[in-house]
Amino acid sequence: MPIAVAASPVRPTIAAAGHGNGTELSKTMDVRPYRRGDDDDAMYEICLKTGPGGEDAFTDRRLLGELFVGPYIRFDPEFAFVVEDDDGVSGYIIAALNTRLFEQRCEEEWWPPLRQRYPLHSFPEESNETRFVRMIHQPPVAADEIVVEYPSHLHIDLLPRTQGKGYGGVLMNLLLDALRDAGSPGVHLGVGAGNTNAIGFYHHVGFTTLSTSATGRAMGMKIR
């Protein structure tokens, strides 16, 4: 269901949760809802640049975005928000309202053409792309015990020029309000084990650790 979001950009003037340093946020940056078509390429690029190893670790510039951006702005665009500065979109937050429905729609509509475009063994075995091509053919499925209480899930990525200025908290608050208004009782996310800054931020804004593994952890927040 659509959410009530002002068409005009948000211009916060105080630091958001997780970055409360008492300084004002840059007034050259705006936070606004995602615009279909206009923001797609920039969001794909941000996904690549903030991905494992950075943009130089991949020869295919679209692959990460096809996994971690494309289906969200296709199926749940009302839960996508971006930060924009004078140089363009510099960060985003995206979410799926209903993880199980999202997984189903991806299996029916999103993954089949990508499996044709990226068959297994499309890249050398040692390449970074190979791991993510496997994910297209065998996409991860959220654990039942997490989805039952935290049916929504999210991703957030900011370029370095946007980090540390409070915009992560601003984006998170916008998204949580949107999910809450749409009736979601909780949201979860995954984070790498070594990403201590992100883990600290998520704890600060109210997420708790739900499960851990050698490579990362699942975190969740009740929002109703």
Side-chain angles (χ1 to χ4, degrees):
M1 86 186 220
I3 58 173
V5 176
S8 58
V10 175
R11 290 179 179 265
T13 56
I14 57 173
H19 300 278
N21 55 16
T23 62
E24 289 195 352
L25 300 178
S26 169
K27 293 183 179 180
T28 64
M29 289 187 176
D30 293 325
V31 180
R32 60 169 174 79
Y34 156 76
R35 295 173 185 157
R36 186 184 293 275
D38 293 342
D39 298 329
D40 298 23
D41 288 345
M43 293 170 73
Y44 270 52
E45 280 291 299
I46 293 168
C47 184
L48 173 68
K49 291 175 179 178
T50 58
E55 60 182 319
D56 293 338
F58 294 86
T59 58
D60 187 303
R61 301 190 67 86
R62 300 286 293 179
L63 179 58
L64 283 186
E66 297 287 17
L67 278 155
F68 300 115
V69 175
Y72 296 88
I73 57 178
R74 166 83 174 273
F75 300 131
D76 285 286
E78 63 268 44
F79 303 106
F81 302 89
V82 304
V83 179
E84 185 174 33
D85 61 19
D86 295 338
D87 295 319
V89 173
S90 56
Y92 63 79
I93 193 166
I94 50 181
L97 175 64
N98 183 317
T99 295
R100 285 288 179 256
L101 179 59
F102 176 82
E103 292 169 346
Q104 178 183 338
R105 294 195 69 185
C106 283
E107 189 58 42
E108 293 173 352
E109 304 176 45
W110 191 257
W111 302 133
L114 285 179
R115 287 167 182 159
Q116 293 184 14
R117 190 187 317 167
Y118 295 104
L120 289 170
H121 313 299
S122 297
F123 299 90
E125 186 63 27
E126 68 277 8
S127 70
N128 285 328
E129 282 88 352
T130 293
R131 168 190 167 193
F132 295 100
V133 168
R134 290 196 188 106
M135 290 177 67
I136 291 173
H137 291 264
Q138 293 184 310
V141 176
D144 287 337
E145 62 270 20
I146 291 179
V147 171
V148 68
E149 293 191 62
Y150 309 91
S152 304
H153 73 273
L154 68 85
H155 297 284
I156 181 171
D157 286 307
L158 303 175
L159 292 179
R161 69 179 191 261
T162 308
Q163 295 171 9
K165 299 177 180 179
Y167 284 94
V170 174
L171 287 170
M172 186 68 72
N173 288 336
L174 278 174
L175 177 64
L176 294 177
D177 285 345
L179 292 173
R180 187 181 298 110
D181 290 347
S184 176
V187 59
H188 71 273
L189 56 85
V191 59
N195 197 344
T196 55
N197 286 340
I199 292 170
F201 168 71
Y202 295 137
H203 276 307
H204 195 97
V205 298
F207 283 81
T208 58
T209 297
L210 305 176
S211 64
T212 60
S213 70
T215 58
R217 67 178 68 194
M219 304 181 74
M221 179 194 289
K222 295 289 184 65
I223 57 177
R224 289 184 69 84

